Amino acid sequence: MYVTEASADGPTLMVAGGVHGDEKSGYRSAGQIKDWDIDAGKLVVIPEACKPAVEARTRGFADGDLNRHFPDGAEEESQLAAAVWDVVEQQDIDFLWDLHSSYGIYESGDGGVGQALFAPIAGDTGVHSKAIRDYLNAEVLDDSLNDVYDFREHTHHDDGSQDMLKHKVGATLGTPAIIFEATEKLSLDRRVKHTTAAVERFMYQFGLLETRSAIESANDLRYDGDATAVDGRVDGNGTRSGLAFGLTNDADWALTITDVELAPANAAIDGLSDHSYDEGQWTSELHIDSDVQSGLTDVNGGLTLPGSIDLSSDGHSDSADREAILSAGSSATVSLYQFESGGNPVGMVGETVDVTVSYTLDGRESRTRALTLSP
Ligand SMILES: [Zn+2]
């Protein structure tokens, strides 16, 4: 559990992720939200509410489905549920967001509940959920997405009959709650983008944030959400063992990228090696095309994954030891090449890589930005 308290008074928001352990975008989004700064009130985040299920990548855990352990007017039905309920009561929350995902799309006829906000009637939940639905559809969803992905909103009475956390919060305490459901028909990056944008917007409406852009102001370095698996020099046969993605410097200062740490989710992906004596994009492990100075690192003998690239010293070649510098407001393209398993190129479509980028802003202290590539 992570608690952030602002010096200014304000409401208390609780955000839960990982109530269902196989719904990645929920716990990954909550894992980002826990690091946000707030301007007022208190933010309580439980990123992985059902940790055993998150670790096993299953919906439920040994005691069953955590989100059916919250009967109104009775004891919680597992020790874990009781612990979560203790947090709700002890933190005296004013609103709950519970972050989920679904295989399908609500009201599309496929039986799923994705792309929807579910708000039991308590307080002004309906007002919030309708405004956030409209915001997501107008300003967050890519124009290229078909209308079927438009978010919907469903406000309902709160009889506690389904024993969910949100029902008990509403029925027992009269505290408003929203369940957010992303659809697994879209990439993990998009699900996280939609989920975090919804929570951020809510925090602005509810008074925890003074501006509408916590995500971007909290992170000077922004991931463009566009990871693509690419054919490079060696695997021109369609393996697509390289990765390209965009970063944007949202700060008002020049930004220098100093280190890039890579951790593929798939343990079989154990190396990054370009197999070339040349230096440049797709002939070095790391190339960053950026406006003030492009970054380049040719790691001697390749990099063992998970591992970290120090852009200023790879111990190999002076001309390929270069940090990337981005001017204020500029974007850069990062190219990584090539991902391997036991020395063989690995196709990266459908793989996931956690990336931590270290950077400095105009000579100020070093910062890091964690992002997840899921091409
Ligand atoms: Zn769920």
Side-chain angles (χ1 to χ4, degrees), residues 9-239:
D9 285 346
T12 296
L13 168 66
M14 176 168 163
V15 177
V19 168
H20 288 142
D22 58 350
E23 298 174 11
K24 266 190 194 174
S25 58
Y27 61 81
R28 285 190 188 266
S29 298
Q32 294 183 12
I33 292 163
K34 73 174 173 25
D35 295 329
W36 289 357
D37 288 329
I38 53 172
D39 299 313
K42 185 165 69 170
L43 174 64
V44 180
V45 183
I46 304 182
E48 300 180 357
C50 193
K51 202 171 182 73
V54 169
E55 283 171 355
R57 300 187 178 191
T58 51
R59 180 179 174 87
F61 66 131
D63 291 342
D65 181 340
L66 178 62
N67 211 23
R68 299 294 183 274
H69 290 176
F70 296 95
D72 177 32
E75 284 293 298
E76 298 73 47
E77 289 171 0
S78 62
Q79 231 182 337
L80 182 54
V84 171
W85 191 252
D86 281 349
V87 173
V88 168
E89 290 195 316
Q90 285 165 13
Q91 297 289 337
D92 192 19
I93 67 168
D94 296 307
F95 212 111
L96 166 76
W97 272 66
D98 189 4
L99 309 180
H100 289 252
S101 64
S102 164
Y103 63 92
I105 296 175
Y106 184 55
E107 288 180 337
S108 72
D110 65 10
V113 293
Q115 301 306 85
L117 298 106
F118 296 91
I121 295 171
D124 49 6
T125 42
V127 175
H128 284 295
S129 61
K130 286 178 180 66
I132 291 162
R133 170 201 62 193
D134 293 345
Y135 164 72
L136 291 171
N137 292 341
E139 295 184 45
V140 179
L141 285 180
D142 289 347
D143 293 339
S144 61
L145 285 177
N146 188 292
D147 288 350
V148 75
Y149 293 102
D150 279 359
F151 278 88
R152 291 159 193 270
E153 181 273 348
H154 181 80
T155 309
H156 54 90
H157 281 285
D158 209 350
D159 57 6
S161 61
Q162 285 186 284
D163 296 351
M164 294 186 194
L165 176 59
K166 72 160 179 194
H167 290 127
K168 181 157 182 152
V169 164
T172 306
L173 304 175
T175 297
I178 286 176
I179 280 203
F180 185 88
E181 294 273 3
T183 183
E184 290 154 17
K185 288 187 163 178
L186 293 175
S187 71
L188 179 60
D189 284 339
R190 274 191 156 131
R191 277 178 267 152
V192 170
K193 177 183 167 185
H194 298 161
T195 306
T196 52
V199 175
E200 179 203 54
R201 181 65 173 199
F202 173 78
M203 286 166 65
Y204 170 69
Q205 289 175 192
F206 202 53
L208 285 88
L209 292 175
E210 281 171 8
T211 65
R212 298 181 182 196
S213 55
I215 297 170
E216 295 183 11
S217 63
N219 298 296
D220 316 289
L221 186 61
R222 174 161 55 90
Y223 168 44
D224 297 340
D226 58 350
T228 310
V230 177
D231 264 344
R233 186 184 54 83
V234 177
D235 65 331
N237 54 9
T239 308

